[in-house]
Amino acid sequence: MDQLTWTGTAGTLLLPLLQIALLALALGLVAKLLFVLAGLDGPRLPSADGTIAARSPGDFASLGIRYSFFAAVAAIFFMLAAGAVMPSPVEAGILGAMAVRFWPVWAALAATFVLSLRFRRRLGLYGKLFDSTVGMIGFAIVMFWVFTAIFADVIVTHDAFAQLSGLKNKPPGIAAPDSAYGWYLLGGDHLARDVFSRMVMGAREVLKIAPAATLFAFMVGITLGLPAGYFGGRLDTVISFLANLVLAFPVILLFYLLVTPEIRNTGIPVVLAALLFIFPIIFLTVLFNSRFYTDPTKRNIYVGLTLLIGLWAYSGLAFNRDPLGIWSMQPNMLNVFVSVVFVNSPGVFRIVRGLVMDIKARDYVAAGQTRGEGPWYIMLWEILPNARGPLIVDFCLRIGYTTILLGTLGFFGLGVSPDSPDWGSTIDDGRKLLNLFPHPAVTPALALMSLVLGLNLLADGLREESLKD
Amino acid sequence: MTASASSAASSTWDPSQPILEIEHLSISFFTRLREIPAVMDFSCTVMPGEAMGLVGESGCGKSTVALAVMRELGKTGRIVAGSMKFKGRDLAKMDDEELRHIRGSEIAMIYQEPMASLNPAMKIGAQLAEVPMLHSGMSKDEAWKLARQIVADVRLPDPDRIINSYPHQLSGGQQQRIVIAMALMAKPALLILDEPTTALDVTVEAGIVDLVKELGRKYGTSMLFISHNLGLVMDVCDRICVMYSGEAVETGSVTEVFDKMRHPYTQALFRSIPLPGADKNARPLISIPGNFPLPHERPKGCNFGPRCDYFEKGRCDETDIPMAHVPGDDRHDTRCLRWQEIDWSAPPAKRAVKEKAAIGDVVLKMEDLRKYYNVSTGAFGGGASKVVKANETLSFEAREGETLAIVGESGCGKSTFAKVLMGLETATSGSIMLFDENVQSTPIQKRNTDTVSQVQMVFQNPFDTLNPSMTVGRQIIRALEIFKFGKSDAERHQRMLELLDLVKLPRAFADRMPRQLSGGQKQRVGIARAFAGGAKVVVADEPVSALDVSVQAAVTDLLMDIQRENKTTLLFISHDLSIVRYLSDRVMVMYLGHVVEMGTTDQVFSPPYHPYTEALLSAVPIADTKVERKRIVLEGDIPSAVNPPPGCPFQTRCRWKSQVPGGLCDREVPPVQMLADGHQIKCHLSAEVLATMEPVIKIAAE
Amino acid sequence: MGLFVLRRLGVMLLTAIALTFVVFYLTNLPPNLEKLARTEGSVRMTDEAVADWIVKNGHSGSVFLRYGQWLGVVPGWTYTDEKGQSRGRCFQIGEDAAAAPRFCGILQGNWGYSTFFKSPVAASLGEKLAATGWLMLAVMLVMVPTSLLLGVLSGMREGSATDRTLSTFSIATTATPEYVSGVILVALFATASTGISPLLASYGLIEPNKTLFLASATSAMDDITFWNFTLPVMTIALYGIGYIARMTRASMTEVMTQQYIRTARLKGVTFRNVVLKHALRNALIAPFTVIMLQFPWLLNGVVIVESLFNYKGFGWTLVQAASNNDIPLLLACSVVAVVVVLLTQLISDIGYVFLNPRIRLA
C-alpha cells in the first residue's frame, strides 16, 4: 500500500487552482491594507446624476479579495467532495478520506441546519442566529466539534492509545499495513499512535469538561454577582475584593499551585469542590422559592426536587460518596474541574454585577419593589432574564476561554493522565520534536484553534443579533 | 455639478427667493426586509429671515426632514424623490466636498441633547473655534477670540472660564447655549433646531427660546424649528408645517393654522392638548382614537383616515391625497379632500360630563417630613461627605378621591418624596400617616400586604415600566399573587382579564410581550398593574410626559376615570402646568426640596403667586393665540441640590428679591405664610407686595 | 485625588498580602515540605526523619508565623539541636547567632536560597527578569501600535469590507492561544521540513536545511537578533493584538455613533479629522485600561512562550521552580507576578482618570 497524497486524484487539477487563489487572496489583503492606510479607499458616493462614482483602488482590492476567497473555498470544497465520492482513500487523498470518516457529523450538521432554518422564526434568539452569516459559521464549527465528540467512536480509524510498530513520527498518509483501516491519515506521533484518531478523541475530552465547568462558573458568578450588584455596600466590597484577588493571580501560577498531585493529598480540591458545587443548588432553590412562595404546594415540589437531585449529585461529585454510585469524578479530573471553575467565576461575577447595577435602576425593578417583592425575586426574575443577552454571549466566549485554559493545563502536563488524547497535552507531546515532525503538534493545535474560533464567531453573531431588538 | 458652477449658482441667488425650497421630497430607509418610507411628498419653503416650525408626534418624520436637509441620513436612509434647493442649489445632488462647505457654514444645526452633542474630551473653546478655522481659514487665535465673543453673545457668564472648560462642567442650559453658539460661529443662513429644549426644564427652556428668537432677529437667520410642542412653535415661528405619519398635512402661517385650521388632524391635535387657561370643565380634552400607524402599515389614501372623525369610506381611502391650497390665506395648504365640506367652527361633540366623586376623609397625612442623603463629594468618594436635603419640612394631607398635583422642575425633590411614601426609602424625620398608621420608618419589606397594595405607583417612562421579558398578563398576575388576591390561578387569570378591560386594552394583549405594545398601551398596563390590589393611594410620577400629546389625553382620562370609580387619592407628580391645571384639585409647588406654594388649583393659578410659581406659569408655552402671558424669564439655572444657596432656596433667581428689605432672602429660609383658606406660600414678601401681583395668563377679549 | 491614590494603595497592599499568603500557604503544604525534605535529604528517608528534618529547618509551627518570618515581620526561627549547634533563618550553622539580625524576610531583602539552582534567589531572578523585560518590551512595541491601528481602522466604518476583514483577523487571533500559535508559527517558519523554509531553500534564498527563523530563542539570552526573537515576540503579541484590536474596535464604533461625532460632521469637519480629532481620544480610553489589564494574561503568554522557545526568562524560571518544588524561588516569582499585576492595575486606574476629563475634574 502506498502513502496517501493530500488531495488524491482530484488534487492534480484543484491544487494549482487553490495555490493561485490563496496567493491572490494574500496579495489582495496586503493591497487593501495599503490603500486604506494611504487614504485611497472611501465610501462610494452618488455623483450628481445619481450614478455610482468611479471605483477607488480600494474597491478593486476588495473585489479581488472577495473573488479569490470564493475561489479558494470552492477549491477546498470540491477537494473534500471529490474525495468523499472516491471509492478508496488512495484516490480520495487524505482530505477526502477524512471527509468520509466524518460522515455522521455531516449528516447531523445537515439535519440541525435544515430543521433550524425551517423553524427559525419560532426559535427566539437561537433562530435569529441564522440571520447572521458570522453566527451561522461559528455555530457550524462549534456543532462540528460537538458532533465529532458525540460520534467519536465511529469516526476514529484506530484506537487512540494503540501503538503500531514502525509508524513512529511518520508523516500524514502513511500506510499502516498491520491495521484494519490501512493508513494513518494524519501520520503517527512519537509513540507511533494515530494522530487523527487522537485528535478526534481529544474533542471528546475537551467538550466533556469545558461547557460543564463554564456552567458551574456561571452559577457561582451569578449567585454572588446578583446580590453584590443589587445590594451594594459592604457585601459588594467584600465579594468584589475576593474576586479581584483571584483575578490578580496570573492563571498559570494559580494552576501550578492548585493542580498538583501533592495538593490532592491535602484535600483542598475537595474543600473547593464542596464550596463551589453548592452554588447551583443554592441558585435553583432560591430561584424557585422566590417565585413560588405565594403557592406553597408548588414551591415545595420544585424546591424539594431540586434539593433531592442536587444534594444527591453533590454528595457524589464533591465527596465521591454517592450512595447509588452514579455520580462520581476522578480525583485528578475533579482537581482540574474545580480549578477551572475557580478561575472563571470571578470574571462572571464581575459581568453579572455590572449588568445588575445597570438594570436595577429601571422602573420595572422599582415597580417590583413597590409591590413588595423580595430582593431575590427581583434579582432572579426581574433582573436576570433581562441580562440574558450579554450573559449568553459571554457564556460562548467563556467556553472558548475555558478550552484554552484546559489546553494550557495539558500543555504544562498538569492534572491529566500522561497518555490522555486531550489537545493540550498532545501539543505538549508533539512540540518536543516540532522542528523535525510538526504534524503531531499542529493537528491538535488547529483543532483547538478552530473550536475556539467557532465559539468566538458564535458569540459575535449572538451579540449582533441580540443587539438588534 | 462642479465647484465653480455651484459657486456661480450661489452668487446668482437672489435674496428675495426662498432660502430653502423643498419640493416633493420622499425619503426611505432600507432594511434587509423592506423599504420603509419615512417621509412622502414633503414640500415646504423657508424665506430669508423666516422661522418655519415643523410639528408632529414622534415618528412623523420631522427629524428625518431636518437630517435630510443636512444630508445626514446614515447608511440606510436615502432620498428617493424630490429636490431640496438651498439658495437655488439642489442639496440632494451635492457631492461630499460641496456638502462639507455648506455644513456648519451655511446651514447649522442645534440638537436635542446638548450633553451628547458636545465632545466630552475637547474644550469648549476648541470645539467652537474649529468652525471658523474650517470654513473661513481663520487663525487659531482669532477663532478663539471669536469664540469668546459669541459665548458672551449667547449670554453666558464668565466667557473666559467657559471656553476653557469641558462640556461636563457646564449645566444643561449652559451646554445648550454652547451648542447654539457653535451653530452661530459661521453666521449661517439657515439654522435647523431639532427639539432644542426638550431635554431642559421649563424655566430654562424659556431662556433658550428667548435667546433663539433674539439671535434670529439679530443675525437675520432663517430657522427650521422642529418640535412636538405647539406652544413653543407659536412662540418662535412665523410659519408652521404640521406633519402626520410621514406627510405634511397642513402648512401656513402660525396664526392662520392656529385659528383657522383646515385639516382634521390639526384640529384633533389642538383639542387633545390641555391649556393652562382652561380646566376640565371648561374645555374637556378629546383624545384622538386609535394609534399612530407604523411606517409599513400605513392605510391606503389618507394616513389619518382611520382615526379621523370626518372619514368618508370610498373617498378618503382611495387615492393618495394631494395638498390643496386654502384660498385667501398666505401659502396655507391642507392635505384633506373634504376640507371645504367640514364645518370647522362646530364645537366638538359634547360628551357626558362625568360627576366628580366627592372628596372624602384624609387618607394620607405627612408632617414635617425630611429626607436627607449623605453623599460623599470628591471624585472618588474620598472627600468629606455632605448632606443633601432632598425634602425639607414637607407637610400636607391628601383626601379620599382627591387629586393632589406636585409640581416642580428637576432636583426639586418630588421623586424622593415618592420614594419615601412608597417605602423604598425611609424618611429622616417627620411622620407619614396612612389610614391612621404611621409608616414613616417602615421600609416596604416590613409593611404588610394591605398597606403595600393600597399605595401603588405609576411610572414615568413607558419603555421602562414593564419587564421586557415577561408577558403582559404574567406581570399583572404576579402583582395579584403578591397582593394575595384570589384563591386559584384561574381566579387570578380572570381578574387579570378584567383589569385589562378596566384600562381599555383588548384581552388578547395578555399574551403579548411588552415590546409589541406602543408607549400608551404600556402605560395602560402599568396602570392596570398599579390598581391590581385595589390601590387607595396612587402616586403617578409624570405618567404621561413621555407620551405623544394625542395619547396623553387618553391616558390622563383613563387615570381620572379609574380614580372616580375607586375613589382613589391621586398624587400626580408633573412639571407640566397645563395638565396639572386640567386634572388636579390641589397643587403643591416644590423647589429644591421646599414646598414653596400649596393651595387649591384656582388659588395657585391666580395671584398672589409665589415668585417661582409666577415664573413657572409664565414659562409654559401656550398653544393658543388668544392667550396673553407675561414674559418672565429667570436668570441662570436651577442650583444643584448638593449645594443649595443660603437663605431662601429661590433667592438666586427671584425677580422680587429687591422688594424684601434687609437682605432677608439671603439669610433666612422664609416662613410659611397662610394666605386665604388653605393657600400657603413660603416667601418673605409682605402681604401688601403679594397683593400687587398681576395674573400671568390672560385670555384676550375676542 | 491624593486620597484616592492612598486608598487604592491601601487596597493594593492588602491584596498583595492576601495573595502572597495564599501562595505561601499553598507552597508550604505538608506534602510539599515532605517532598522538599526528601530532595534535600535523601529519597529513602523514613517518615520520622522527614518530620525531624522539617522541624530542624524551621518549617514547623503555625503557617502564619512562618509567613511572618518569610515576610520579615516576625523574628526568624532558630533551632538548637542536641549537639548545641544552633542554626536559624538568618544565619548558617557555625555563624554567630547573636550577631545575626533578628528579622530576615523579603522586607529586609532576604529572598532566600533557591534549592533547585543552588544560588541566592535575588541574584538569579534579577537576571531572568531582565531577559523577560526585553521580551515584554518587544511585545509591547509590536502589539500596542498594531492593535490600535487595526481597531481604529475597522471601527471607524462599521460594517465596511475593511472592518469585516480586520475583525475576522482579530477574532482568529483571539481564538489562538500562545501554545497553538507558537506551534503553528514554528511549523511554518522554523522547520526544515515544512512551511516556507524548504521553499526558500529551494530558491536558494537560505542555506539548505536551515530555517528562516530559529525555533529556539536561547541564543537571544545573549544576543537578540531578528531571527531568534521574532517568533516568540509574535507568538505573544498575536493573541493580544486580536484582543486589544477588538476592544478598540468596539470602543471606536460606539464613539462613531455618538451625537458629538454627528455634530462634528455637520460642522463640516472632514472624515479624517472627525476620526483623528474628535473620535480617537474618546475611543482610546477603554482600550488603555484593557492594555494595562492585559498584563496578567501577558504573563501567561510569557510563561508559555519561554517554555516553548526555551528562553530562560522569568516564565521559564517560574515553571522550573514550580515543577521542582523550589519553594523560595516560586514564592519570589509570585511576589514579582503579583506586584506587576497590581502596579499595572494602579497605572490603568490613574491613566483612565487622566485620559477622561469627565472624571478628572468632576
Side-chain angles (χ1 to χ4, degrees), chain C residues 87-107:
Chain C
R87 51 177 158 172
R89 185 174 170 82
C90 307
F91 53 94
Q92 300 293 315
I93 300 174
E95 284 177 2
D96 183 8
R102 287 185 66 224
F103 299 95
C104 51
I106 53 164
L107 289 178

Side-chain angles (χ1 to χ4, degrees), chain A residues 257-271 331-332 334-335, chain C residues 25-26 29-35 38:
Chain A
L257 296 172
L258 276 184
V259 191
T260 56
E262 286 81 33
I263 209 160
R264 261 165 247 151
N265 300 335
T266 62
I268 287 178
V270 177
V271 174
N332 65 342
L334 182 78
N335 195 183
Chain C
Y25 175 76
L26 287 175
L29 285 171
N32 290 339
L33 293 176
E34 284 160 22
K35 201 169 150 196
R38 289 205 161 92

